[in-house]
Structures are given as C-alpha cells and as structure tokens.
Amino acid sequence: MSTSGLPALPAVPAPGRHDVAARLRDALLGASFTADGLLELLGAPAYAALARSETVPALRATRGDTPLEVLVRLFLLQQPVPHARVADVLPVEDCLESGWLRRVGGDSKDDVAATVDVRPYGGPGGEDWFIVSDLGCAVGGAGGIGSREEGVVLGVGGASTTLAGITVRTPVSAALDLGTGSGIQALHAAQHATRVTATDLNPRALHITALTLALSGAPAAELREGSLFEPVREDETYDLIVSNPPFVISPGARLTYRDGGMGGDDLCRTLVQQAGERLNEGGFAQFLANWQHAEGEDWQDRIRSWVPRGCDAWIVQREVQDVTQYAELWLRDAGDHRGDPAEYQARYDAWLDEFEARKVKAVGFGWITLRRTTAAVPSITVEEWPHPVEQPLGDTVRAHFDRLDYLRAHDDAALLEGHFKLVSEVVQEQVGLPGAEDPEHVVLRQHRGMRRATKVDTVGAGFAGVCDGSLSAGRILDAIAQLVGEDPVLLRDRTPAQIRLLVEQGFLEPA
C-alpha cells in the first residue's frame, strides 16, 4: 500500500523498448485505432460520453469481435480480453514482456489487460498520435474521475488541449515543456522544435512522456526531473517555453499533478517571473494559470506585477469562480464527494479556511503569454475575455505581438501615412430601432480567432469599410471629412486613437 492509503501505482511499460513501441504503433494503426476510427466505430454520442467518463455506450458499441473493438475494450475501457484474441491483433508476447500488457484471469491467466491508458489523439496536421497515461486517468478512460493516487499521471484534458491550441507554432531551435505530465506539450513541440526538453517533479510522468513520444513515432525529448526551472542549467535559454503547471490553489500539496505546493498562487507567479531570463530574444513563454482575487486588490494589478522585465505580455482571464465553486470543483476532481461525508466536509472547510486567511474572494483562470523584447517600454495587456474563441489560436497570439511591434514603430503621423486592410471574416452589424434613419451604434465583429466585437462610430465604420490597402489612412479620412462636412484637420487629429485600437485588436492589418 502507498502512504496515502490507496493501492500503490502499478508498474508501467519499459520506455527503452522502442522496437516494441514501434511494432505496437503499427498494430494500432493497422486496426484503425485512431481518433477518426474511434468516432466511426462508436458514433458521436458514445464518443462524447467517453469524454464525460461514461463508458456504458462505448461498451455497448464494442460487443463485436473486430480488431478495433478488441483494442477499445483493452486500452480505453480497460476490460480483460482473451489472450488468443489479442494475439491476433497485437505483438502480444512482446507487449507482455515489455509491460504494456499483463496476464489476468485467475489461475489460468488466459486473459490479458492493459497496464496503461492509451488514447488516440489527432495532431494538428492530421497525425495519428497516442497519449499514454495511468489507468483510468485519460479523458474517456474507464476509471473516470475517481480517487487518485498522489503520483498519478493524467492524460489529455481540456487544459492540455487549450494550451496546445494557443501555443505559437513556428520553427524554433529549442523548446522547454515544464511539468510535462503525459507529454502532450512535448509531443506538439517536437513537430517544430529541433530540440525539446521536458521536465517534471514526478519521475513517473517522465517515464510516461517517453512512452507517449515513442508510441506516437515522435523524436525523443531530453527528460529531466525537478521542479519548475530547477532542472534547467544557468546557461540554457529557449525559443519556446510552455507549461500547464499544477496551478490549483489549495490547502497543501495533496496531489502532485494539480496542487502547486506553494501558498496561494505563488507557484504560478514564480513560474512567470522566472521565465523571462530563460527566453531568447523574440522567444515566447506560454502558461495556463490560476490567480487570486483578493479583497482590496485589483486582480489586474496583481497579475501585472508577475511580468518579468524585458517581456511583453498578453494575459487573458477566461473564467472566474467564487471560492465555494472553486473548492467544490477540485474536491470533485479528486473524488472526495464520493467518500466519507465527514471527511469531505473537513476538506471543504480546510479550503475555505485557506481562502479566508488570504482574504481571497474568487479565483481567476486564464492564459499568460510572454515574449522577450528589446523595446524600451514593454507592453502588458491584461483583459477579461470569457466569450467563445476559435482554436487553434497560435497564429492569433503571434499576430497580436506582431501588431504591437507595428504600433510601437508608428506614431500618429506615420499611422496616417500607412495603408490598412480590413481583416477577412470581419462583419459589420448595425443596431437600432426598426425604421430609424440612423443606427444607434455600429459593431465590428470577428468570426475567427478571438471573435472580438467592438463598437465604432460612423467615421470608424466608414473608415474600416473602405480599407482595402489602396489608399493611405489619411487620404481615407480626408474623403470621409468631405462626405460628412467635417474639418479634415480635426478628423485627422482625433481618429488615430481609434485606428490604433482597431489594429491592436486585430480588425485592421497593415497592407
């Protein structure tokens, strides 16, 4: 038994047997054990139910005996399967010897079972990848949420895919994945980075990351054990740093995969503050994080104070929960609501005591992106955007910082000499009473990326509508001034601020 009272975590496959991983990968692909194959076999309702940790629809859909059904029962639903049947689909003896499978079924041990979750995962370029995790801990794994052992390694969740989607994907020399977990960020980075380093405090996570990379046919990463930047040498810098850290603000470090072990939001703050000196010029650091909303303190000021010197920053708060919602979310994540009611209440009290002592009234969740810059005055943008967005957003994030560079290099006079185009997928909406001669207000709305909407006046709407790159901004304003009977000099004086905002938010782009 482990010290937590839960059964000790089982052994996982040997990461050094790349020959077995390659043969296993070929067998999985040969049986269409892929994201597309699963969707076709299970159907959309059963496939979606797996993401909610509901397995009954998938069990009903895999009552046949095809190779794909056998693999779904074995690796996703964690059901014992007859040895003879598995031998028809996989290199079963190699998998048993290297630890991917184990014998079960009483004295006869005629059945085999998986030792790890293996979940098909579609890469951004249509790649067929596989994410390895502990049994019952993949999204869609048979174990669901349940009670979790301290050193358990989770599979792909919403946070993982969110970070993968917002990460800037440009070719780089060196990338660093801090707190790699099951290795999904390292797997993505391996597609566009010459060298990938992945770290984790949990040695089991490094072991499983090696399995994920090998089974996905990806280049190996350099794996290092340690917390935050401890495994990184002083002389090492990177073009890309990504981290989905254990950001949960909790009373103690009960679960390694989620609890930071520092007080409040100190782990996220430390991670962000230390990232700047590890970035090469122009390099990006991108994180998911939680931050406290404390009494008497502006949360935006709090998060601004985290940004290291020499870095531009774009920080987006996506969600806010009051302390009771937050505590309940993570108590349920650990399965505490299914256990002893008195113990659940005691743990709930401990969370609220922690928040009360820190005068925390709510917790924010969002994205933090840093970019190393030589600008004399770095830009820090902090905003709240809880609305739907269109992933992936990596290109949108990169474009945000490109626009910052453009605006810094162009004063108002240069802006008026510039040529602009309305970004594709932007539409104009006019809002007003039916039959009214003029709209009450005009809104420009993006249908891609961040899907922003911004209110503009008549001049702003007219300006954006004719921006096709052929005329300078000043020439367009002169024409608008003539149409509306306004002094062109005054119009040129007051409009650059609106143009600057439309460029900053991605409605207009330099032609």
Side-chain angles (χ1 to χ4, degrees):
M1 297 289 286
S2 67
T3 56
S4 66
L6 293 172
L9 291 169
V12 293
R17 293 295 306 274
H18 294 293
D19 57 327
V20 177
R23 290 199 294 276
L24 176 56
R25 171 179 171 79
D26 288 343
L28 297 177
L29 294 177
S32 297
F33 188 65
T34 63
D36 290 341
L38 288 183
L39 182 59
E40 183 177 350
L41 170 68
L42 302 178
Y47 192 74
L50 272 180
R52 302 190 299 270
S53 299
E54 295 292 346
T55 60
V56 172
L59 285 167
R60 291 174 62 86
T62 56
R63 289 180 290 193
D65 202 34
T66 67
L68 181 55
E69 288 170 305
V70 168
L71 293 176
V72 171
R73 289 199 301 272
L74 186 65
F75 285 117
L76 280 187
L77 304 177
Q78 284 121 47
Q79 301 293 306
V81 178
H83 178 283
R85 187 66 192 97
V86 176
D88 292 336
V89 183
L90 301 178
V92 65
E93 296 305 325
D94 286 339
C95 289
L96 285 166
E97 180 186 353
S98 58
W100 288 96
L101 302 175
R102 61 188 177 90
R103 290 186 179 273
V104 294
D107 294 335
S108 63
K109 294 193 175 180
D110 290 333
D111 293 343
V112 296
T115 59
V116 287
D117 266 306
V118 175
R119 178 175 175 82
Y121 177 81
E127 303 91 347
D128 288 315
W129 292 339
F130 300 97
I131 308 300
V132 181
S133 63
D134 274 313
L135 291 173
C137 294
V139 174
I145 300 299
S147 296
R148 290 175 174 167
E149 178 59 71
E150 179 181 350
V152 77
V153 179
L154 302 191
V156 179
S160 303
T161 55
T162 293
L163 179 58
I166 67 172
T167 300
V168 175
R169 301 293 176 193
T170 55
V172 295
S173 295
L176 173 65
D177 176 16
L178 285 177
T180 187
S182 60
I184 179 175
Q185 308 306 330
L187 179 57
H188 276 277
Q191 311 309 303
H192 62 102
T194 303
R195 177 172 61 89
V196 177
T197 302
T199 73
D200 206 290
L201 182 63
N202 182 3
R204 188 178 181 86
L206 299 176
H207 193 128
I208 284 181
T209 290
L211 298 176
T212 290
L213 295 172
L215 194 58
S216 297
E222 184 178 357
L223 305 176
R224 301 182 189 174
E225 183 180 343
S227 177
L228 299 180
F229 288 98
E230 287 176 1
V232 178
R233 296 191 299 269
E234 290 186 6
D235 62 341
E236 288 182 307
T237 54
Y238 297 87
D239 306 298
L240 175 67
I241 299 172
V242 292
S243 183
N244 176 19
F247 54 67
V248 176
I249 300 171
S250 61
R254 178 179 161 210
L255 297 173
T256 304
Y257 71 87
R258 70 168 203 193
D259 300 324
M262 297 185 184
D265 51 17
D266 283 355
L267 183 135
C268 291
R269 174 185 57 80
T270 301
L271 182 62
V272 173
Q273 289 180 337
Q274 293 181 354
E277 62 185 7
R278 300 297 185 179
L279 282 176
N280 292 325
E281 183 62 35
F284 287 91
Q286 299 186 261
F287 314 104
L288 301 185
N290 275 173
W291 44 78
Q292 297 174 165
H293 286 227
E295 293 179 13
E297 179 185 53
D298 187 319
W299 72 268
Q300 294 197 5
D301 291 340
R302 180 183 192 85
I303 202 79
R304 282 176 180 273
S305 72
W306 294 5
V307 178
R309 294 179 60 184
C311 288
D312 293 322
W314 184 19
I315 300 164
V316 182
Q317 180 168 272
R318 295 287 290 157
E319 185 179 1
V320 181
Q321 291 183 318
D322 67 49
V323 293
T324 59
Q325 292 174 311
Y326 189 80
E328 290 163 14
L329 169 66
W330 294 110
L331 287 167
R332 287 180 175 273
D333 170 82
D336 292 327
H337 63 300
R338 298 177 177 175
D340 177 39
E343 187 174 351
Y344 173 80
Q345 182 175 340
R347 284 180 170 159
Y348 200 147
D349 270 332
W351 283 71
L352 297 186
D353 286 343
E354 176 79 6
F355 288 132
E356 185 176 338
R358 294 181 176 277
K359 298 183 178 179
V360 175
K361 57 184 180 180
V363 177
F365 166 81
W367 318 327
I368 299 176
T369 300
L370 307 177
R371 185 191 62 168
R372 190 76 183 175
T373 181
T374 57
V377 182
S379 169
I380 302 177
T381 301
V382 184
E383 62 176 319
E384 187 165 10
W385 190 254
H387 312 295
V389 298
E390 182 187 52
Q391 286 273 35
L393 281 169
D395 288 345
T396 299
V397 173
R398 179 179 50 78
H400 168 87
F401 290 93
D402 289 345
R403 293 193 298 269
L404 285 182
D405 289 340
Y406 177 86
L407 292 172
R408 270 197 291 241
H410 292 74
D411 59 16
D412 286 355
L415 210 62
L416 292 174
E417 292 297 320
H419 293 239
F420 300 94
K421 293 191 300 184
L422 188 67
V423 173
S424 60
E425 302 296 332
V426 172
V427 298
Q428 177 178 304
E429 300 174 356
Q430 297 187 171
V431 181
L433 294 173
E437 185 174 344
D438 297 312
E440 293 179 15
H441 59 265
V442 179
V443 173
L444 297 180
R445 187 179 302 277
Q446 300 168 351
H447 281 248
R448 306 295 298 271
M450 292 293 288
R451 292 178 173 169
R452 296 186 186 277
T454 188
K455 188 187 298 185
V456 292
D457 59 18
T458 304
V459 171
F463 179 86
V466 298
C467 276
D468 61 4
S470 60
L471 296 175
S472 69
R475 290 280 302 277
I476 294 174
L477 290 178
D478 290 343
I480 292 175
Q482 186 174 4
L483 285 173
V484 300
E486 189 169 338
D487 185 333
V489 175
L490 293 178
L491 191 61
R492 278 174 171 254
D493 284 345
R494 70 177 176 84
T495 307
Q498 189 170 187
I499 297 174
R500 195 170 290 275
L501 180 64
L502 291 176
V503 172
E504 181 181 344
Q505 293 192 343
F507 291 92
L508 296 177
E509 61 185 3

